[in-house]
Structures are given as structure tokens and as C-alpha cells.
């Protein structure tokens, strides 16, 4: 058995252990978690590490298929500008290479599982051979009424490709403003039969709510400019999250992603009305696109189950969960590192249903081991130059 000691070990399901030691066997299975303060007999063959040790990170929102777009989109121009750039982007020849590099980057910096959005089969081969656990969300769009059957048929065909490879996957809606009530109803029927995980982009811009309140604003104007049939939709609601939760049903668990403009009242209402609800933050992508962060403190006050994502290289400079943690820690210094690491590990594993293996240091689990270097050990804080890397077992 191998033993590693660090300035602090974060088991996640219990308090951090100062100068803690973890013992694991040759395949990474945790066998011992040792607190030197309460144990008189310590192992002799302990490898010393400077920094913090935690379980492998869980990335609950990524678009691996967009990895070739790194550095190609304008920053801080708003969601509609971003969507328009995405719509007019011409794919290059480097897509598969970029996907492979992005997968390796995530693996090396300690990500062990990813909930990934896919609109095509470009990531399939990489996921088949990756050391990372992937759950693929097959994303569906249905802006114009009357296309639900066609959209579902294409989605199911793509789902079947992942399922044949024994890869975990489910069908999901893209966003409230790109999914009709008919498609929500059809997905809800599938969820009733399949008990799928679901995920949806939520409230990235204030005009997302305006579309549903008054069929006005930049989101509605953009969609109307793309296809005039959008005018025929009759989906006035109090907000986009109200529209989603009133139409999407029967999912096993639901992940709301971004939540940049979600209000405290909307959070409370959602928490009361929906079981198995999770909230994913992608702070660096929010800053990249809208130059705005969610009011994270109102989510913690409502005892929300929070997870973290990187989004894609179209809207981020790295695919690093630690970089997301550093951004949150800088803007919300009142949050403890223990709490932040729980979002980055156990909560994501619990959402994906893989918490028996991943998400925490517990005997018999094989969650991956991450070393966070260049830290403030005295105050149990991250620093701007903190880095994460996986520890080979």
C-alpha cells in the first residue's frame, strides 16, 4: 500500500485533516485515511506533498465538441453575440485533435468525470477510450413548433450511437428559449419511461426572462430574426425558469446550468417544487460571455445542491475545475474551501449517480487523487497561482 501526506487532506464527507495521510492500493482504491493528531502509530513509508489533497474533480458542464474554438470568440459581448458567433462559425479540420487534447488536459489536472453536452458524434471515439468517466447529454433544439418528431428522431439516433458503446447518455433540452412546449412534453414522456438525468442552460441573460414575460428583448429578437415562425409561440411565463419547470417533468435529477440571473425568489420556488434539483455554476464562462457572475450567496442561503462546470473552450481559457474554484473564492471569500471542494467533487458525483466510486475519500472507493499546489496552508485558502494535478497511483 502507498501512503501520501499533505498539508491538508480533504475527505469531503468529513472535515479537512491537517497533515492528513491517505493510504491506497495499486489501483487507487482508498484503504486508509489517517489523522496524525489522533493516531500514535503512523506508517513509515509516507510520501510527503506540499499542498492540499482532495478527490478527483467532477465537471458537470462541458462542451467537449467545441474544443477547437479556443480563443476564437469575442469576450464580454453578451449571450446573443456569443450565440451568433456560434451559429456562423465554420468548423475546421482540427476538431478531433482538439477534442483529444482537451480530454487529456482535463485528465491531467484532476478531472475524473464529466457531464458533457453533445450535438453530434464527434466526441464518441474519444469517450470510448478515455480514462475519464463521461455522461453525455444529447442536446435537442426545437425553436419552431411542428418539428418535435423530427428533432426527437435525430436525438434518439445519436443517443443510440453512444449507448452501443456502453456510454452513459440521456436526451436533454438545450435552453428554455430554444425548446417548444411540445418538445418538453415529449422529453417528459421519455423520462417517465427511461428515468433519465436531465440538464438545461438557465437564465444566462436578463433578456431570457423578458422573452417569456412579454415576447420581447434581445433573445426573442434574435430568434425571430433567424426564423419568423418563433412569433407563433404562445409561452408567456413569469420567467424562463418558470417555463422550464412547468413543462419539464419525470426526470431522475435536473441540473440547471449557469443561473447567472436567477433571483432568490425563483431559487426558493424551484427548491420547493422540484425534487433532486442541482445548480451548476460555470463562473469563468459567465465572465467570458456576460461579464457577470451569479449571486452565489443566495444559492448557499437556500441550501442548494451546487456543482461546477467549465463550459467549453468557446467560452473559457481553460478546462480546469480548480480555475473555476479560484474565481469563486476570489469573488466570494466568505465561502470555505471545504464547501467549494464539495461542490467540485461529491455533489457532482451524486448528481451523476457515481458517488459510490467518486467524490470523496472513503475506504473502498476509487475517486482519483488530486494535489493542489501553491496554496495558503495557514489559512486553508487557494491562491491565484494555485495549480491542480492528478497523482498517479
Amino acid at each position: 500500500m502507498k501512503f501520501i501526506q499533505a498539508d491538508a487532506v480533504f475527505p469531503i464527507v468529513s472535515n479537512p485533516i491537517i497533515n492528513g495521510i491517505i493510504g491506497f492500493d495499486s489501483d487507487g482504491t482508498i484503504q486508509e485515511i489517517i489523522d496524525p493528531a489522533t493516531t500514535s502509530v503512523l506508517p513509515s513509508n509516507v510520501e510527503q506533498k506540499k499542498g492540499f489533497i482532495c478527490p478527483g474533480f467532477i465537471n458537470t458542464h462541458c462542451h467537449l465538441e467545441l474544443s477547437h474554438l479556443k480563443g476564437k470568440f469575442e469576450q464580454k459581448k453578451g449571450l446573443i453575440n456569443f450565440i451568433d458567433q456560434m451559429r456562423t462559425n465554420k468548423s475546421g479540420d482540427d476538431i478531433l485533435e482538439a477534442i483529444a487534447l482537451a480530454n487529456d488536459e482535463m485528465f491531467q489536472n484532476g478531472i475524473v468525470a464529466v457531464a458533457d453536452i453533445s450535438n453530434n458524434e464527434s466526441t464518441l471515439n474519444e469517450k470510448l477510450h478515455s480514462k475519464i468517466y463521461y455522461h453525455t447529454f444529447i442536446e435537442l433544439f426545437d425553436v419552431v413548433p411542428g418539428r418535435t418528431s423530427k428533432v426527437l428522431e435525430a436525438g434518439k439516433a445519436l443517443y443510440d450511437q453512444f449507448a452501443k458503446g456502453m456510454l452513459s447518455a440521456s436526451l436533454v433540452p438545450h435552453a428554455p428559449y430554444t425548446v417548444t412546449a411540445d418538445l418538453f412534453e415529449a422529453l417528459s414522456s421519455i423520462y417517465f419511461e427511461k428515468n433519465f438525468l436531465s440538464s438545461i442552460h438557465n437564465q444566462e441573460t436578463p433578456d431570457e426572462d423578458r422573452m417569456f414575460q412579454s415576447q420581447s428583448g434581445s433573445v426573442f429578437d434574435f430568434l425571430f430574426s433567424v426564423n419568423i415562425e418563433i412569433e407563433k409561440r404562445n409561452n408567456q411565463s413569469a420567467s424562463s425558469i418558470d417555463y422550464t419547470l412547468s413543462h419539464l417533468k419525470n426526470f431522475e435529477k435536473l441540473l440547471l446550468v449557469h443561473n447567472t440571473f436567477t433571483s432568490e425568489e425563483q431559487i426558493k420556488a424551484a427548491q420547493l417544487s422540484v425534487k433532486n434539483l442541482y445548480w451548476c455554476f460555470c463562473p469563468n464562462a459567465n465572465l467570458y460571455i456576460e461579464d457577470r457572475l451569479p449571486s452565489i450567496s443566495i444559492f448557499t442561503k437556500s441550501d442548494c445542491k451546487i456543482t461546477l462546470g467549465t463550459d467549453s473552450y468557446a467560452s473559457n481559457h481553460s478546462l480546469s475545475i480548480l480555475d473555476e474554484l479560484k474565481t469563486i473564492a476570489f469573488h466570494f471569500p466568505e465561502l470555505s474551501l471545504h464547501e467549494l471542494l464539495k461542490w467540485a467533487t461529491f455533489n457532482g458525483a451524486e448528481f451523476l449517480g457515481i458517488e459510490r466510486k467518486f467524490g470523496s475519500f472513503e475506504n473502498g472507493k476509487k475517486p482519483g487523487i488530486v494535489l493542489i499546489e501553491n496554496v495558503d496552508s495557514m489559512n486553508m485558502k487557494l491562491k491565484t497561482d494555485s495549480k491542480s494535478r492528478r497523482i498517479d497511483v
Side-chain angles (χ1 to χ4, degrees):
M1 189 160 56
K2 185 174 182 180
F3 294 92
I4 292 180
Q5 184 173 39
D7 299 337
V9 168
F10 289 79
I12 304 301
V13 291
S14 57
N15 290 329
I17 304 171
I18 303 302
N19 298 317
I21 300 170
I22 57 170
F24 51 93
D25 61 22
S26 58
D27 71 349
T29 301
I30 303 299
Q31 299 293 349
E32 284 192 70
I33 304 163
I34 302 170
D35 183 351
T38 62
T39 305
S40 58
V41 180
L42 299 177
S44 59
N45 57 329
V46 178
E47 183 179 349
Q48 302 290 331
K49 299 289 186 182
K50 292 293 294 180
F52 303 145
I53 287 179
C54 70
F57 296 132
I58 312 295
N59 181 356
T60 57
H61 185 73
C62 188
H63 295 253
L64 191 62
E65 67 190 14
L66 303 180
S67 298
H68 63 291
L69 297 176
K70 184 177 182 179
K72 294 186 178 181
F73 286 6
E74 290 183 293
Q75 300 181 50
K76 302 181 180 180
K77 297 294 185 180
L79 180 64
I80 295 306
N81 179 272
F82 178 80
I83 293 173
D84 199 35
Q85 291 181 87
M86 188 70 68
R87 185 175 66 93
T88 57
N89 170 69
K90 303 298 182 183
S91 297
D93 298 326
D94 57 347
I95 293 177
L96 297 182
E97 180 183 1
I99 287 170
L101 290 171
N103 174 80
D104 185 63
E105 176 192 345
M106 287 195 286
F107 179 69
Q108 294 301 332
N109 68 36
I111 293 172
V112 295
V114 178
D116 186 61
I117 303 289
S118 288
N119 293 275
N120 56 56
E121 70 283 353
S122 61
T123 63
L124 177 59
N125 186 64
E126 190 65 34
K127 290 171 180 175
L128 284 170
H129 300 95
S130 178
K131 295 178 181 178
I132 293 174
Y133 171 90
Y134 279 96
H135 178 89
T136 300
F137 287 126
I138 308 298
E139 192 172 64
L140 304 184
F141 299 75
D142 188 24
V143 176
V144 180
R147 297 181 62 249
T148 298
S149 296
K150 184 177 180 180
V151 168
L152 275 179
E153 182 180 350
K156 288 177 179 177
L158 183 56
Y159 169 83
D160 287 343
Q161 292 188 56
F162 284 87
K164 285 177 183 177
M166 303 300 290
L167 293 169
S168 180
S170 53
L171 302 175
V172 299
H174 164 253
Y177 52 87
T178 54
V179 176
T180 61
D182 286 345
L183 182 54
F184 271 136
E185 182 178 345
L187 282 170
S188 297
S189 297
I190 292 172
Y191 291 169
F192 182 78
E193 297 174 0
K194 295 282 190 179
N195 203 30
F196 274 154
L197 295 176
S198 191
S199 174
I200 189 168
H201 297 78
N202 179 62
Q203 293 174 300
E204 293 180 73
T205 175
D207 276 5
E208 187 175 320
D209 277 354
R210 294 190 185 105
M211 173 176 175
F212 293 93
Q213 292 161 350
S214 60
Q215 295 207 358
S216 64
S218 61
V219 174
F220 178 81
D221 291 343
F222 174 77
L223 292 173
F224 185 72
S225 72
V226 172
N227 194 318
I228 196 171
E229 292 296 315
I230 189 68
E231 189 179 37
K232 296 180 180 179
R233 293 176 70 184
N234 181 23
N235 47 344
Q236 290 186 1
S237 301
S239 65
S240 64
I241 191 172
D242 175 66
Y243 174 70
T244 295
L245 298 182
S246 63
H247 288 86
L248 189 62
K249 308 290 182 183
N250 303 324
F251 41 78
E252 179 187 358
K253 299 169 190 169
L254 175 62
L255 186 72
L256 298 175
V257 180
H258 294 304
N259 315 300
T260 321
F261 293 90
T262 309
S263 70
E264 185 170 5
E265 293 74 20
Q266 290 166 347
I267 294 167
K268 289 178 179 178
Q271 289 284 100
L272 287 172
S273 65
V274 180
K275 293 181 179 179
N276 295 323
L277 183 62
Y278 292 73
W279 306 79
C280 176
F281 297 135
C282 306
N284 289 331
N286 300 148
L287 293 173
Y288 194 107
I289 297 173
E290 286 278 341
D291 197 22
R292 167 80 177 260
L293 290 175
S295 299
I296 291 178
S297 57
I298 64 176
F299 290 85
T300 58
K301 186 164 61 175
S302 296
D303 198 27
C304 295
K305 288 188 175 181
I306 295 170
T307 70
L308 298 177
T310 61
D311 214 325
S312 74
Y313 259 140
S315 59
N316 208 335
H317 300 288
S318 71
L319 299 181
S320 165
I321 289 296
L322 185 69
D323 285 349
E324 306 299 326
L325 289 172
K326 290 193 291 185
T327 295
I328 296 174
F330 177 79
H331 290 276
F332 302 91
E334 72 277 10
L335 296 171
S336 72
L337 182 56
H338 182 213
E339 182 173 15
L340 294 179
L341 287 173
K342 183 179 181 182
W343 301 354
T345 57
F346 186 81
N347 284 4
E350 184 183 65
F351 169 71
L352 289 173
I354 54 175
E355 70 274 19
R356 291 186 179 181
K357 177 179 180 180
F358 298 106
S360 61
F361 288 144
E362 297 177 79
N363 290 347
K365 295 178 69 168
K366 192 163 63 175
I369 302 169
V370 174
L371 175 65
I372 305 175
E373 300 175 296
N374 305 324
V375 298
D376 180 354
S377 297
M378 183 69 69
N379 297 299
M380 300 287 277
K381 299 283 187 182
L382 300 175
K383 299 197 298 189
T384 55
D385 61 346
S386 294
K387 298 291 183 183
S388 68
R389 63 180 177 90
R390 60 181 292 272
I391 291 180
D392 291 320
V393 298

